[in-house]
Amino acid sequence: MIEMHGLTKAYRTSDIETTALDNINLEVNAGEFIAIMGPSGCGKSTLLNIVGMLDSPDSGRYSFFGDDVAGYNESKLANIRKQNIGFIFQSFNLVDELTVAENVMLPLLYQKVPGAEREQRVQAVMERVGIAHRAGHRPQQLSGGQQQRVAVARAVVNNPKLILADEPTGNLDTTNGEEVLELLNQLNRDGTTIVMVTHDPGHADHAGRVVNMLDGRVLSENVVGLNQASEARHA
């Protein structure tokens, strides 16, 4: 699904240049659940943004389903995002003025899905994540765990091939965090590819592979759930 070779990204101000990604080589296969870990400032979120085509690398190759998208313009990238990728953020990013159902429906409006189909798909996904009984409520009337369930529903209502989750449990207590992780596990079992940034080793254990980053580089990759994890060191 995803192949990255020699990706670099730097952020520049008038006084300083900061290297966010340094020669990243990474592959993600369809159906995988990958966790990206590392200390603050190591490049995790920058990598996730490039995977999600919210940012572009300075150099290197990024292939998405066989197409090199690194040089695509924003219009092309936006179309690929809408058709293939769902996003889940730590801060939920719900629209306070909209109801739960209206928040979940937003991606379908952008895709111009017909009204009857929109309502059917929204109802189905709200039931799937256990939030249908709150359909008429607004985000501020919900708990943190319920808000993240709405965010998950919004991310999957378009049936994306890839879900990108940036610290999806960061603002949740332990119980709600585990419930959101179980939702991600269910989606992965149903065939959705998931790439998740997390700082919690316990949460990373839900993934099938853990990518460890340091100073903008992939330090190691560990396969989770085996008697002896296999590790690939990157020069």
Side-chain angles (χ1 to χ4, degrees), residues 98-102 126 131-139 141-142:
L98 301 181
T99 65
V100 165
E102 290 167 341
M126 288 192 302
I131 202 70
H133 63 296
R134 296 288 191 178
H137 289 70
R138 300 191 187 278
Q141 297 174 295
L142 307 178

Side-chain angles (χ1 to χ4, degrees), residues 110-126:
Y110 297 146
Q111 289 284 73
K112 299 181 180 179
V113 175
E117 183 181 349
R118 284 202 309 266
E119 293 181 8
Q120 183 179 26
R121 287 169 65 174
V122 167
Q123 182 64 30
V125 77
M126 288 192 302

Side-chain angles (χ1 to χ4, degrees), residues 6 10 23 60 75 116 146 158 176 228:
N23 193 34
S75 177
Q146 290 171 332
N158 257 346
N176 282 311
Q228 183 173 359

Side-chain angles (χ1 to χ4, degrees), residues 147-205:
Q147 289 186 59
Q148 193 60 297
R149 285 175 177 270
V150 177
V152 171
R154 181 185 59 191
V156 303
V157 72
N158 257 346
N159 299 316
K161 299 177 180 68
L162 172 66
I163 289 179
L164 302 180
D166 194 356
E167 298 281 5
T169 62
N171 286 335
L172 304 178
D173 60 31
T174 301
T175 299
N176 282 311
E178 286 295 327
E179 289 178 354
V180 167
L181 286 167
E182 181 52 35
L183 282 174
L184 294 178
N185 283 329
Q186 290 174 10
L187 292 166
N188 181 241
R189 287 194 291 269
D190 290 341
T192 305
T193 306
I194 296 175
V195 179
M196 176 181 70
V197 164
T198 182
H199 66 278
D200 189 320
H203 293 171
D205 285 343

